[in-house]
Amino acid sequence: MLTLAAMLTALFAAPSAALTQEVEDPAFERARRSAEIASYTISKVQRWLHDVALKKIEPDTGLYHPDGAFNYQDAWADCYPFLVWAAWLTDLDALNGPVRGALHAEIRHCEKGFFADPKNTFGGSEYVKDGLIAIVEVTGRDEWFDRMEVIQDEIWAEPTIDTKYGRIPSTNVEVNGEQIQALARLYTMTGQKKYLRWAERIADHYLLQGDFVPDRLRDHGCEIIGGLGLLLGVESVHNPPKAQQYLPHMKKMLDTVLEKGTNEDGIMHDHIGPRGNLSDGWGYNYVAYLCYDMVARKPVYRAQMEQV
């Protein structure tokens, strides 16, 4: 069986006579060179998929155990999406066979209502935000999307944290940021108002009480910044009065982060104030600044983000 790398190399290494003129074009030559680089890189993905990743699927249970242990916050949030991506890109038989089968095994393994238990909220939220969202943005509304919806509905079945805006599922700012990111996507993909209401409940709790600025500006805390920015963008289309309500609170938060959480080059610290390492926060925070500009319809932050 020819590997993907071999097929791409053969395609570009022996162009037909009809392509002779095009081959001499510098742009075509750059494209051919890029294809060689891409094919080599993708062949490594395919090799990892077959030589490493697929072998981590247990033959008896069908579960994916990349490090030998089953958990949602690490194995299924941080590792399973790479398995899906690799199969989606290089081997659809694997995607629709053992990789999809691993999802079915995870569903069988999980008791109904598992994520409604507050002690399981963190794992479920991590699985949705870091795992399933990453997959759904490639596959669209497939079974992974259905799983995301089920987990979100369980997390919100009986939230236990009282706020003046209604109950939310956690006091953990990372979880709540992840939830906004997931709920905003679920609302726009399904049109179900409950997802927007739940996202607004969290956003109201943080923004409308005034002066909210997260202390942590990198992962495990900054997810709320990107989540609020994403929701602001969604609200600007689907509920403009709510977007206008959020806009000044968002600006105050974003300005404070730039004022107190960055160095002279605009690079963010791990935390508010000049302490800890410098970090790009995986780029999470830039989303909020760019969304703000899109909603405000003027370039408030774009130049600063480009500079960083």
Side-chain angles (χ1 to χ4, degrees), residues 133-150:
I133 284 177
I135 294 169
V136 167
E137 290 188 345
V138 169
T139 62
R141 292 190 63 163
D142 204 318
E143 290 180 292
W144 292 279
F145 173 83
D146 297 336
R147 185 59 174 151
M148 181 169 75
E149 193 169 16
V150 166

Side-chain angles (χ1 to χ4, degrees), residues 116-172:
D117 188 329
K119 70 175 181 289
N120 300 322
T121 298
F122 177 76
S125 187
E126 286 276 290
Y127 180 29
V128 167
K129 187 266 181 181
D130 287 333
L132 292 171
I133 284 177
I135 294 169
V136 167
E137 290 188 345
V138 169
T139 62
R141 292 190 63 163
D142 204 318
E143 290 180 292
W144 292 279
F145 173 83
D146 297 336
R147 185 59 174 151
M148 181 169 75
E149 193 169 16
V150 166
I151 293 172
Q152 284 298 107
D153 285 348
E154 288 192 5
I155 288 174
W156 284 88
E158 295 181 10
T160 59
I161 307 302
D162 284 315
T163 78
K164 65 185 293 185
Y165 305 99
R167 289 190 171 188
I168 60 177
S170 180
T171 59
N172 185 313

Side-chain angles (χ1 to χ4, degrees), residues 48-49 51-81 83-84 98-99 101-110 127:
W48 171 80
L49 175 68
D51 291 357
V52 179
L54 290 175
K55 295 177 180 179
K56 300 290 187 178
I57 297 177
E58 292 185 340
D60 53 343
T61 68
L63 288 169
Y64 183 51
H65 285 183
D67 60 357
F70 179 91
N71 65 67
Y72 282 109
Q73 62 267 28
D74 296 315
W76 284 78
D78 297 334
C79 300
Y80 181 63
L83 176 68
V84 177
V99 175
L103 173 68
H104 299 164
E106 179 271 309
I107 294 171
R108 291 194 302 270
H109 175 82
C110 185
Y127 180 29

Side-chain angles (χ1 to χ4, degrees), residues 14-37:
S16 67
L19 292 177
T20 302
Q21 184 175 356
E22 286 83 352
V23 169
E24 295 173 355
D25 186 282
F28 191 93
E29 179 58 30
R30 288 195 300 272
R32 187 178 70 82
R33 178 58 183 150
S34 294
E36 292 173 354
I37 296 170

Side-chain angles (χ1 to χ4, degrees), residues 232 242-252 292 295-296:
L232 180 68
K242 178 62 78 171
Q244 291 303 310
Q245 185 182 23
Y246 287 157
L247 210 57
H249 298 287
M250 285 289 296
K251 189 172 190 305
K252 189 170 185 179
Y292 182 95
V295 174

